[in-house]
Amino acid sequence: MPFVVLMGGPGAGKGTQARQLKETLGLPQIATGDLFRENLQNETELGKLAKRYMDAGELVPDEVTVAMVKERLSRPDCANGALLDGFPRTIAQARALDQLLAEMGERISLVPYIHVDPDVLLRRLAGRWTCRANGHVFHLIFNPPKEPGICDYDGSPLYQRADDSEETQKRRIEVYFEQTAPLLDYYRDRGLLVEIDGEQDIEQVHRDLVAAIQKAS
Ligand code: AP5
Ligand code: MG
């Protein structure tokens, strides 16, 4: 069954697409950013540690992140595959993921790279509103909620992520190019990378992703 790694810069649409793919393909979404934000909200030690890095737009240390993913992958809902959103983000994390999956007798099926230009990434992040209860994402212009400030799916209030401030957005995009973009070659060399045009509308990106994943599994 498929283990799919969604790659793309901050604001490329990984979360938006993972949520839809979860419904279409019946696979769980493992979003490391969402897991850190849950820990933050629950005021756990992990949340407190992660906050320092997230607020600065830097990556949380590999050891901590890998341990969190290891625990998540060990749960029964991941036995038949998963959608990884925001992980791996460094070469060390990619190697750790290969090893974790090998221990489960599994391997990555596909790495769709949702390609979006940096200036569009900035516009996406600047207008993003996220739902407090379940992390559904909206955009002021590109994907507005039916009622301003309220999530269409669960009625919870929408908020702007702390790391969507102008300064942190820029740093996150830099960190992406410095530390995460090298993973594109890592997966390209293994024949796993498929490029998806992330500047199409949300539904078309979804259709392209479904077609690519079905072809690979
Ligand atoms: P994380 O939460 O993963 O943030 P990110 O990678 O920066 O990605 P985003 O969530 O910002 O973007 P997205 O691609 O999900 O886009 P979205 O769908 O929301 O990580 C946050 C922080 O946590 C990191 O900085 C780091 O500190 C830490 N962290 C997380 N994982 C880590 C790891 N593995 N290692 C170490 N540290 C880690 O869409 C964006 C906006 O665009 C939305 O408003 C949406 O409505 C809109 N949109 C989406 N698609 C389209 C479209 N096709 N057309 C128009 N608008 C669109
Ligand atoms: Mg996201």
Side-chain angles (χ1 to χ4, degrees):
M1 279 300 279
F3 284 85
V4 175
V5 172
L6 290 175
M7 290 273 300
K14 302 179 296 295
T16 301
Q17 295 298 332
R19 265 167 202 286
Q20 292 198 13
L21 289 171
K22 188 170 136 180
E23 305 301 324
T24 312
L25 305 172
L27 291 173
Q29 172 192 11
I30 303 184
T32 39
D34 289 354
L35 292 173
F36 286 133
R37 279 184 289 278
E38 262 170 49
N39 273 280
L40 214 99
Q41 212 165 344
N42 297 333
E43 295 176 11
T44 67
E45 286 307 314
L46 175 61
K48 281 178 210 159
L49 182 142
K51 183 177 162 45
R52 295 211 310 267
Y53 297 94
M54 294 172 84
D55 284 353
E58 303 294 337
L59 295 182
V60 179
D62 287 336
E63 248 177 51
V64 177
T65 309
V66 169
M68 181 175 76
V69 172
K70 181 176 183 184
E71 189 283 323
R72 182 63 190 86
L73 274 174
S74 71
R75 294 195 217 156
D77 63 335
C78 295
N80 292 325
L83 298 159
L84 291 141
D85 158 7
F87 180 91
R89 259 175 149 97
T90 61
I91 297 281
Q93 290 182 15
R95 295 209 176 103
L97 177 63
D98 288 341
Q99 197 184 332
L100 289 176
L101 291 178
E103 284 163 13
M104 296 165 70
E106 295 285 356
R107 58 201 296 278
I108 294 171
S109 328
L110 193 70
V111 181
Y113 166 43
I114 308 177
H115 182 266
V116 173
D117 272 351
D119 56 326
V120 180
L121 293 178
L122 279 173
R123 286 209 294 278
R124 297 251 185 108
L125 296 176
R128 171 167 59 189
W129 286 81
T130 305
C131 121
R132 187 67 77 187
N134 293 300
H136 295 110
V137 279
F138 298 88
H139 191 281
L140 213 56
I141 298 157
F142 307 139
N143 180 27
K146 291 192 183 85
E147 212 180 310
I150 306 286
C151 176
D152 288 358
Y153 304 99
D154 52 38
S156 77
L158 301 179
Y159 77 106
Q160 284 198 292
R161 272 171 43 178
D163 62 348
D164 279 347
S165 70
E166 208 173 318
E167 201 181 315
T168 313
Q169 280 169 18
K170 289 201 182 117
R171 182 62 194 143
R172 283 163 57 208
I173 293 175
E174 278 169 17
V175 166
Y176 169 77
F177 282 105
E178 287 165 15
Q179 301 189 45
T180 307
L183 286 183
L184 297 174
D185 278 341
Y186 180 89
Y187 288 124
R188 198 178 279 120
D189 291 348
R190 286 163 178 71
L192 291 171
L193 198 82
V194 57
E195 193 160 330
I196 304 285
D197 176 1
E199 292 189 24
Q200 308 172 95
D201 64 44
I202 293 174
E203 284 66 37
Q204 188 56 47
V205 177
H206 177 70
R207 283 193 289 272
D208 287 0
L209 282 168
V210 172
I213 295 167
Q214 282 174 343
K215 197 171 153 203
S217 11

